[in-house]
Amino acid sequence: MSAPVAPSLSGRILRSVLALTIGGIVLLTLMFAGIFYATMMQVPNSAAVMADFFGGDLTVCVVATLIVGVALAFAVSRALTASIMRPLDEVDPADPWKVPVYAEMRPLLARIDSQQRTLRAQNEELARAESMRRDFSANVSHEMKTPLQVISGYAELMENGLVPPEDVPRFAGLIHQESQAMRALIDDVLTLSRLDELPPDAATATPVEVLGVAQRAAERLAKLADERDVSVQVEGAPATVMGNEGLMEQMLYNLIENAIRYNDQGGHVWVEVGSSPDAATVRVADDGPGIPEAKREKVFERFYRLEKSRSKETGGTGLGLAIVKHGVQRHGGTIDVGGEEGEGATFTLRFPAASD
């Protein structure tokens, strides 16, 4: 249903000014006519005198004067209307403050300007999201090609009987290893997709005891730590935040796993949980090679790797820290990266404490 069409503003102004001007002329004419009539009534034989007075050329002059007055009123009204409308016609919605405007228009133009800025920001955000989506799709396809090629190649060799019987277990193990890597990648992609699509919902948040979650995540990684000869120590005090316990465990699992995978043999990982009246803090530190300061923001980008060759050796999908950052944001927290290059990295997470 379309909105009703209102008369144009310029037409309203023109009619108003014209009516006011003509009304003024008519009023003055009537006033002078009344004064003249009252004066003439004092004169003897006034009727005959007025008949003689108006019977001559005076009537023509009066009528001509009225016509000229109306024409002048129309011209003056058009000029005044154009002058009034000029500041309105010069307003540019894309940049409403480019020209001087009436004081009465400033609140309206302020709203227009605010809406324009909001729309521009939304369009830029949509463009960035679309660019990220394209890059993400391309990176996922690229990351899946390698394990699929390995699985396809080894399976084809085994199918055609080109693998000696004694090598079949090794080939099967490689196929299993690559399939697990692809499964982990798919799981991380699905997790990120859910985090992107679902906004934070405070109504479904539950109290999460962070120290216990960190201990469970470290226990799940005990085998990996033993394989890489890395010790993991979890300590601190109980701290409770409002959020999603499963997502919190995955975040801490990813941080501890990264600290183990990218550590040196015989290294250490420390997980410390602390609390204050208004915040809960989690620090995950290691004594590995650390992260250069210039690249500390980039490590949260999807599929970004500091050393691609080492990443292939250590495993991982390249999405772990992206999941951590998204998870921290969903919990209303912040994440910082510290540590000296060559002496280890420290990830510090801060969350609002759960209210009593």
Side-chain angles (χ1 to χ4, degrees), residues 262-307:
Y262 296 98
N263 209 329
D264 298 324
Q265 187 173 5
H268 301 81
V269 175
W270 299 272
V271 182
E272 182 182 357
V273 179
S275 64
S276 65
D278 58 350
T281 304
V282 182
R283 289 186 178 86
V284 179
D286 62 67
D287 53 2
I291 301 173
E293 188 171 353
K295 298 181 179 180
R296 289 178 181 175
E297 286 298 321
K298 288 183 173 291
V299 295
F300 297 107
E301 296 178 3
R302 302 174 185 192
F303 296 111
Y304 180 82
R305 292 182 172 92
L306 286 174
E307 300 177 18

Side-chain angles (χ1 to χ4, degrees), residues 8-73:
S8 67
L9 179 61
S10 60
R12 282 188 169 185
I13 295 174
L14 177 61
R15 287 191 294 273
S16 299
V17 175
L18 187 60
L20 182 62
T21 306
I22 294 175
I25 293 173
V26 172
L27 183 62
L28 287 173
T29 302
L30 291 174
M31 183 178 68
F32 283 118
I35 294 172
F36 178 76
Y37 179 78
T39 303
M40 292 301 296
M41 288 301 292
Q42 305 300 321
V43 178
N45 299 321
S46 59
V49 174
M50 285 192 291
D52 292 338
F53 186 78
F54 284 105
D57 295 335
L58 182 61
T59 300
V60 176
C61 292
V62 171
V63 172
T65 301
L66 287 174
I67 293 173
V68 171
V70 170
L72 287 175

Side-chain angles (χ1 to χ4, degrees), residues 30-150:
L30 291 174
M31 183 178 68
F32 283 118
I35 294 172
F36 178 76
Y37 179 78
T39 303
M40 292 301 296
M41 288 301 292
Q42 305 300 321
V43 178
N45 299 321
S46 59
V49 174
M50 285 192 291
D52 292 338
F53 186 78
F54 284 105
D57 295 335
L58 182 61
T59 300
V60 176
C61 292
V62 171
V63 172
T65 301
L66 287 174
I67 293 173
V68 171
V70 170
L72 287 175
F74 183 76
V76 170
S77 299
R78 285 185 62 87
L80 286 174
T81 301
S83 176
I84 293 171
M85 291 298 299
R86 188 174 298 113
L88 299 175
D89 294 335
E90 292 177 352
V91 171
D92 182 4
D95 188 7
W97 304 116
K98 185 168 61 177
V99 296
V101 296
Y102 293 126
E104 294 80 2
M105 293 178 58
R106 296 187 70 85
L108 173 61
L109 294 181
R111 289 196 295 270
I112 292 175
D113 186 50
S114 176
Q115 291 173 353
Q116 290 281 354
R117 293 176 184 274
T118 301
L119 286 174
R120 282 195 292 267
Q122 290 175 344
N123 288 336
E124 291 173 359
E125 185 63 28
L126 286 173
R128 284 195 296 269
E130 179 63 19
S131 177
M132 288 179 60
R133 186 194 64 79
R134 288 196 300 267
D135 293 343
F136 186 54
S137 299
N139 286 329
V140 169
S141 300
H142 175 75
E143 293 290 334
M144 283 187 171
K145 279 182 180 179
T146 300
L148 282 174
Q149 287 173 346
V150 172

